Amino acid sequence: MADERAERIGEFIAPLRVRPGSKVDLSTDFDPGNKAGIAGKKDGQELLRTGVALLADYQRRLAAENRYGVLLCLQALDAGGKDGTIRHVMSGVNPQGVHVSNFRVPSSEELDHDYLWRYARRLPRRGEIGIFNRSHYEEVLVVRVHPEHLDRQRLPDEAKRKGVWRRRYREINDWERYLHDNGFRLVKLFLNLSKEEQRTRFLKRIDVPERNWKFSAADARERAWWDDYQEAFSHMLSATSTKWAPWYVIPADHKWFARICAAAVLAHTLIDIDPQYPEVDRKTRHELFVAKEELVAAAPPGAPADPYAASVEADAERRNGR
């Protein structure tokens, strides 16, 4: 069954995957308004519910096995839907097994270290799903579009010379390969938003009082660098989509569809890991048997000896029409 689900989900997300070694041009290669033939939000609700339930199941297995960790990296321009994606896609999982990190302007302490240091400190543990709301890719996006941020990083002169971005791509790829080799799987999602949809969402944040807090005038001013960001994203996707950590470009103009895609990519990763509940050894199994006998013997008058087993049997009888 897992193989069948993985195959179906794999077919669905295949068009979103950036083929390692390919050259990406966001303006022509990916459509932010794509819905993959799904008519509308109502038609996609059941798909999202299925994806969320699947994630909940596999997240429990991931935590129980405690062998692999998963890092979900979300990148998007402002109003791209990162927060809503996290909220909806992870709605069914145990919050104890998920940790979200938001990365904003680096602190003085963080600037005293290498540029990957603050991200390495927030990596998930084995059995966990870590989410980076913006990630280490800010170091080749906003820092590239606004080179003054590079000056703030107190780098030696030779580290800022020609080739800095090519070198950072290599360093990031090597770091992600190291994480993969040590049992940490990376899920990298770029929420691809059109310029007009961003404008619409900004206006809604201004027009609806309850959304005013989400708007910053600086976000609107950043639109002046739209083309520069599109170029930086294209370079990033081309240089850092690898076999061990591929990028997926998520059409983000329709929030409901972006959430379906995000859930599908994450579910596919967990199915591929295929975490299993640990099997207990013979000694522990015997201890369980002894404990069960004691609990069964402690049933009060009129109560079933094993309420759980009784409910399972009753459900089976109902399904069989008895």
Side-chain angles (χ1 to χ4, degrees):
M1 177 63 103
D3 289 341
E4 293 177 5
R5 288 187 299 192
E7 185 175 351
R8 291 199 302 271
I9 295 173
E11 291 174 354
F12 176 73
I13 65 175
L16 312 176
R17 184 174 182 266
V18 177
R19 182 171 53 84
S22 62
K23 186 174 182 180
V24 174
D25 183 346
L26 273 180
S27 64
T28 59
D29 294 342
F30 295 96
D31 177 12
N34 181 32
K35 297 186 292 183
I38 302 175
K41 181 177 181 179
K42 185 176 180 180
D43 300 289
Q45 287 176 338
E46 184 59 33
L47 286 173
L48 182 58
R49 281 194 292 268
T50 300
V52 169
L54 196 61
L55 287 176
D57 176 29
Y58 273 88
Q59 187 251 344
R60 287 192 293 269
R61 299 189 197 185
L62 185 78
E65 188 181 60
N66 198 36
R67 185 179 302 273
Y68 291 90
V70 175
L71 175 61
L72 172 61
C73 298
L74 284 173
Q75 287 295 152
L77 289 171
D78 296 310
K82 299 184 299 298
D83 293 343
T85 296
I86 294 170
R87 186 169 63 253
H88 286 81
V89 171
M90 308 307 292
S91 61
V93 304
N94 185 341
Q96 289 183 317
V98 178
H99 181 73
V100 181
S101 297
N102 296 281
F103 295 98
R104 305 192 185 279
V105 177
S107 67
S108 178
E109 180 188 18
E110 289 169 339
L111 289 171
D112 277 336
H113 293 269
D114 65 272
Y115 71 91
L116 289 176
W117 180 77
R118 67 174 180 153
Y119 306 102
R121 297 179 70 208
R122 303 288 189 88
L123 288 171
R125 297 179 295 182
R126 299 189 192 280
E128 287 185 341
I129 297 175
I131 301 176
F132 282 2
N133 187 348
R134 299 187 187 272
S135 70
H136 47 292
Y137 283 98
E138 292 292 285
E139 306 297 335
V140 293
L141 292 171
V142 66
V143 178
R144 181 168 186 166
V145 173
H146 297 288
E148 62 271 21
H149 293 313
L150 195 64
D151 295 331
R152 294 182 63 239
Q153 294 184 353
R154 306 170 190 170
L155 297 169
D157 290 341
E158 58 268 24
K160 297 185 290 184
R161 291 173 184 160
K162 185 178 179 180
V164 59
W165 308 119
R166 186 168 58 253
R167 185 173 65 251
R168 285 199 170 187
Y169 294 145
R170 173 179 54 78
E171 291 164 347
I172 288 172
N173 287 340
D174 289 345
W175 186 56
E176 293 178 349
R177 180 64 180 265
Y178 165 79
L179 293 174
H180 181 275
D181 289 348
N182 282 274
F184 293 89
R185 299 293 182 260
L186 280 88
V187 179
K188 303 189 302 192
L189 307 181
F190 168 56
L191 304 182
N192 188 26
L193 186 70
S194 69
K195 192 173 185 179
E196 175 57 18
E197 179 61 21
Q198 187 195 54
R199 187 181 76 90
T200 300
R201 293 182 187 181
F202 279 169
L203 286 169
K204 186 174 182 179
R205 291 180 178 184
I206 295 172
D207 293 341
V208 179
E210 293 80 7
R211 293 176 178 262
N212 288 171
W213 65 274
K214 298 186 71 175
F215 181 76
S216 166
D219 295 341
R221 289 194 297 269
E222 199 70 5
R223 282 168 59 85
W225 285 275
W226 179 273
D227 291 341
D228 298 285
Y229 273 110
Q230 295 302 297
E231 184 178 2
F233 279 124
S234 295
H235 284 304
M236 174 199 75
L237 295 167
S238 302
T240 61
S241 189
T242 59
K243 182 179 179 181
W244 55 90
W247 273 105
Y248 290 86
V249 179
I250 307 297
D253 276 7
H254 304 283
K255 293 180 180 179
W256 59 268
F257 184 69
R259 292 161 187 167
I260 292 172
C261 294
V265 175
L266 184 54
H268 189 264
T269 300
L270 289 168
I271 292 172
D272 186 59
I273 293 172
D274 195 24
Q276 301 295 317
Y277 290 109
E279 293 186 11
V280 299
D281 57 27
R282 182 177 299 179
K283 179 183 177 182
T284 303
R285 193 175 296 109
H286 175 72
E287 292 172 349
L288 291 174
F289 179 76
V290 172
K292 180 175 181 178
E293 284 189 324
E294 294 174 353
L295 291 167
V296 166
D306 186 339
Y308 176 73
S311 67
V312 171
E313 183 178 351
D315 288 342
E317 290 179 353
R318 281 194 294 271
R319 286 195 298 271
N320 293 330
R322 295 178 183 176

